[in-house]
Amino acid sequence: MSENELNTEQLILIAARKVFTHKGFDGARMQDIANEAGINKALLHYYFRSKDKLFESIFKDVIKTFFPQIVSVLVADIPLFDKIHRFTESYIDILVKNPDIPVFVFHELSVNPHRLIGNIRETGADIGIIGEQLRKEAEAGNIRPVKPEHFIANLISMCVFPFIARPVLMGIMKMDAQGFDSFIEERKQIVPDDIIRSIKV
Amino acid sequence: MSENELNTEQLILIAARKVFTHKGFDGARMQDIANEAGINKALLHYYFRSKDKLFESIFKDVIKTFFPQIVSVLVADIPLFDKIHRFTESYIDILVKNPDIPVFVFHELSVNPHRLIGNIRETGADIGIIGEQLRKEAEAGNIRPVKPEHFIANLISMCVFPFIARPVLMGIMKMDAQGFDSFIEERKQIVPDDIIRSIKV
DNA sequence: CAGTAATTTAACCAAGTGGTCAAAGGTATG
DNA sequence: CATACCTTTGACCACTTGGTTAAATTACTG
């Protein structure tokens, strides 16, 4: 077997991720996933015992590949304004490659909070470091004092929301798919600029 | 019959809205809705022919009661900075009363864009007026020139996103339900302030 | 109050769902 | 080649689903 050939388990995971993120847990059919993977439905139960178990694998995987990439920039030891620029750019890049993830995650979290919230907690995301950085910059007189909760909420909101509201934004702004892509590309500059303008003294 | 007594059709609509917005179309069961309304399942099909038809009623209704309230402020003939404050306050107020609506709408739109996008188009939301206002304010030297698409995207993002990401934000910011409410209340001031700071000359 | 129409119900149905299982096919090891 | 083990499959099952229907109940109307 060649190196780049995928084994059945990987094949299932890829197919399941595609179907679950597109249709959600309730909308996804085991048969859909089997078809997408080009295998028999019973094989899904052979590798993963149930739909729930399979879903949990996917959800865990999505969270574990998403959050750390984002958090790593936020807690990095680099100047604040650099950090804001880098965060925006890398976050939007990830989202361009995975545009369905936000709606998927937030919907599942909303429908089933108690069961899935643990996966978020486990990531150990912490705003302590960025809070400290904001405090120091304010003390040094580089920015005005800001609450880290709102700073982070603003930053993440402006990056993620357009991907969640894509069809609505395309509607009210009369953009086609290509127009939306340019719009997103522009935001890599606009978002950090506006954020920095809003915190500068 | 007293005035405040609801007829069966209204009863169904209220129950259906609750179940659909909580569980989504795929997760909602006709039996759930019947139970919630305290009626027989067959009655749902008597008043609304199918699950699809019932859902469409709810979705249309949600869109029609949501969008106009938001757009009306955006196109009102009031000074820009007032408008930003009023928009934020009224939008957040609506969201506090209907916290599940954003995730519901965006998920359904994401799972079934072709079928539902018409409901958005019909609202006739238009950013022309606010675009014009921004242009004039920039000409008058009150703000710097900004692209209306990004201005609106920023404004809406910062208002709506916290409601979409509520469980995640509560997790990383270590807030309980009450803490989240205060956080949202704070944003009525923070969001317009930050937006205005970002566009002032 | 009779009779007609609108409303509500319980029982039922066909299709689709997640899940099981025994058997077949494949692969490594002695 | 035999044997044991892992992988894959088609057929199947119990249960849930949206939806139907005929009968029962209620409301309206002359």
Side-chain angles (χ1 to χ4, degrees), chain A residues 59-83:
Chain A
F59 195 83
K60 271 188 164 64
D61 186 57
V62 165
I63 297 298
K64 276 188 182 158
T65 53
F66 237 67
F67 270 62
Q69 288 189 70
I70 297 155
V71 173
S72 69
V73 180
L74 272 187
V75 304
D77 186 25
I78 50 177
L80 181 64
F81 292 172
D82 283 1
K83 185 178 283 193

Side-chain angles (χ1 to χ4, degrees), chain A residues 83-98:
Chain A
K83 185 178 283 193
I84 294 170
H85 273 102
R86 277 209 223 168
F87 174 82
T88 310
E89 175 134 8
S90 68
Y91 200 1
I92 291 181
D93 275 339
I94 295 172
L95 288 164
V96 166
K97 283 178 200 133
N98 306 274

Side-chain angles (χ1 to χ4, degrees), chain A residues 91-158:
Chain A
Y91 200 1
I92 291 181
D93 275 339
I94 295 172
L95 288 164
V96 166
K97 283 178 200 133
N98 306 274
D100 297 320
I101 297 299
V103 171
F104 167 68
V105 170
F106 292 124
H107 171 253
E108 300 301 339
L109 229 34
S110 154
V111 167
N112 224 327
H114 47 291
R115 194 181 119 202
L116 301 174
I117 192 64
N119 300 104
I120 304 293
R121 293 253 166 75
E122 279 173 22
T123 61
D126 189 12
I127 61 166
I129 289 158
I130 184 81
E132 186 62 18
Q133 186 170 22
L134 287 167
R135 204 184 53 72
K136 276 183 189 158
E137 293 280 352
E139 250 176 32
N142 299 325
I143 63 168
R144 64 188 177 85
V146 291
K147 294 198 176 187
E149 289 86 358
H150 292 286
F151 171 80
I152 289 178
N154 290 349
L155 190 54
I156 298 181
S157 296
M158 290 203 264

Side-chain angles (χ1 to χ4, degrees), chain B residues 32-52:
Chain B
D32 295 340
I33 298 171
N35 292 345
E36 179 72 31
I39 56 162
N40 189 284
K41 180 165 70 87
L43 255 192
L44 299 178
H45 292 92
Y46 177 75
Y47 282 95
F48 305 84
R49 295 190 9 177
S50 65
K51 186 184 181 185
D52 282 82

Side-chain angles (χ1 to χ4, degrees), chain B residues 11-63:
Chain B
L11 220 59
I12 293 174
L13 285 171
I14 292 168
R17 178 168 169 147
K18 184 170 175 181
V19 174
F20 276 135
T21 53
H22 271 66
K23 306 193 177 185
F25 178 83
D26 290 320
R29 299 284 153 254
M30 291 299 264
Q31 191 61 59
D32 295 340
I33 298 171
N35 292 345
E36 179 72 31
I39 56 162
N40 189 284
K41 180 165 70 87
L43 255 192
L44 299 178
H45 292 92
Y46 177 75
Y47 282 95
F48 305 84
R49 295 190 9 177
S50 65
K51 186 184 181 185
D52 282 82
K53 292 274 203 307
L54 177 56
F55 176 80
E56 206 128 320
S57 296
I58 301 297
F59 194 82
K60 270 188 167 60
D61 186 57
V62 166
I63 297 299

